[in-house]
Amino acid sequence: NAGVMQNPRHLVRRRGQEARLRCSPMKGHSHVYWYRQLPEEGLKFMVYLQKENIIDESGMPKERFSAEFPKEGPSILRIQQVVRGDSAAYFCASSPVPGQGIDGNTIYFGEGSWLTVV
Amino acid sequence: KNEVEQSPQNLTAQEGEFITINCSYSVGISALHWLQQHPGGGIVSLFMLSSGKKKHGRLIATINIQEKHSSLHITASHPRDSAVYICAVRPYSGGGADGLTFGKGTHLIIQP
């Protein structure tokens, strides 16, 4: 679990500003997932990425939110023109290349990034 | 109706008690995870199950694929077990989301 690094841990933004959250997956993991946890609610899947590819973004709001996982560097979740409703904890997780074996389903979470919009 | 339902939502117990947290799901899955989240903290994966039973220390997780049900047990509970326990399933992808579907969590408080 300690291998998935997220930063910043806490971020405060004013309404209308941009928020950028970064995630470095565990070494050797090429699959990254972003989840959002709203206050008093469960975690919700947002987007699933591989290097340079968005595999599934069905959980991501259509506007203001974007994600990337470049060939070099961390995955970035970007929220433009933040609103109060974006205040939440954003978790990144990574997994090895999924295969037929159970190990392919192992998933590791980062410590989360807490975004507060004021 | 959520695809993943946990019960109870909140549980307060005395130190030493045997704890059971339940998870029911309504979709076909390839794996089920039990996760632990401490207040203000990150998420730790406790177990990943696709069948049967797993044990780690005082924690035991079971799954019944036919009944679409899993349980997490804590024996000899301790105040440091106080946390939110989250059940998450990995649905068969079939071209859809490849992420996890989560329950809302069970808030467990163990009193000394």
Side-chain angles (χ1 to χ4, degrees):
Chain A
N1 182 48
V4 179
M5 305 299 293
Q6 287 188 248
N7 68 83
R9 288 295 311 279
H10 298 275
L11 181 64
V12 179
R13 284 286 179 265
R14 295 185 186 279
R15 281 179 295 171
Q17 290 185 319
E18 178 180 286
R20 284 194 179 212
L21 309 177
R22 287 174 289 278
C23 169
S24 296
M26 279 188 76
K27 187 176 180 181
H29 287 191
S30 58
H31 296 250
V32 167
Y33 310 85
W34 284 95
Y35 300 90
R36 179 165 66 173
Q37 186 178 43
L38 291 167
E40 305 305 320
E41 291 190 23
L43 286 152
K44 301 287 185 189
F45 166 78
M46 297 182 75
V47 61
Y48 163 40
L49 309 105
Q50 295 178 24
K51 286 280 187 183
E52 300 184 279
N53 281 306
I54 296 174
I55 305 303
D56 190 319
E57 56 183 349
S58 58
M60 196 117 88
K62 295 287 185 270
E63 296 179 353
R64 304 187 297 107
F65 284 72
S66 62
E68 62 177 11
F69 189 15
K71 187 177 180 181
E72 300 291 337
S75 175
I76 306 250
L77 179 67
R78 182 182 177 201
I79 312 171
Q80 294 178 292
Q81 299 176 326
V82 296
V83 300
R84 288 230 171 97
D86 297 332
S87 296
Y90 293 83
F91 286 91
C92 169
S94 74
S95 69
V97 176
Q100 294 301 315
I102 271 183
D103 283 345
N105 282 325
T106 305
I107 190 165
Y108 298 87
F109 285 85
E111 293 282 304
S113 291
W114 269 256
L115 172 65
T116 301
V117 179
V118 297
Chain B
K1 186 181 186 301
N2 291 334
E3 289 180 331
V4 181
E5 295 279 355
Q6 285 186 238
S7 63
Q9 286 186 327
N10 298 284
L11 178 59
T12 300
Q14 294 298 121
E15 183 174 355
E17 286 189 38
F18 182 82
I19 303 298
T20 296
I21 299 171
N22 296 300
C23 175
S24 297
Y25 53 93
S26 58
V27 296
I29 66 169
S30 59
L32 180 145
H33 296 256
W34 280 102
L35 310 170
Q36 181 191 56
Q37 183 178 27
H38 284 279
I43 297 170
V44 175
S45 178
L46 298 174
F47 294 103
M48 186 194 68
L49 297 161
S50 59
S51 65
K53 175 180 174 179
K54 284 189 176 180
K55 184 175 188 291
H56 186 259
R58 295 181 294 105
L59 301 177
I60 303 166
T62 63
I63 188 169
N64 185 317
I65 295 293
Q66 287 73 30
E67 295 186 2
K68 293 186 167 62
H69 181 269
S70 175
S71 292
L72 176 69
H73 305 285
I74 305 175
T75 61
S77 59
H78 189 276
R80 64 174 174 267
D81 297 326
S82 300
V84 176
Y85 292 85
I86 301 169
C87 173
V89 301
R90 182 182 296 278
Y92 289 121
S93 54
D98 202 68
L100 294 169
T101 300
F102 297 85
K104 288 193 174 181
T106 294
H107 293 247
L108 174 66
I109 297 173
I110 304 296
Q111 294 178 335

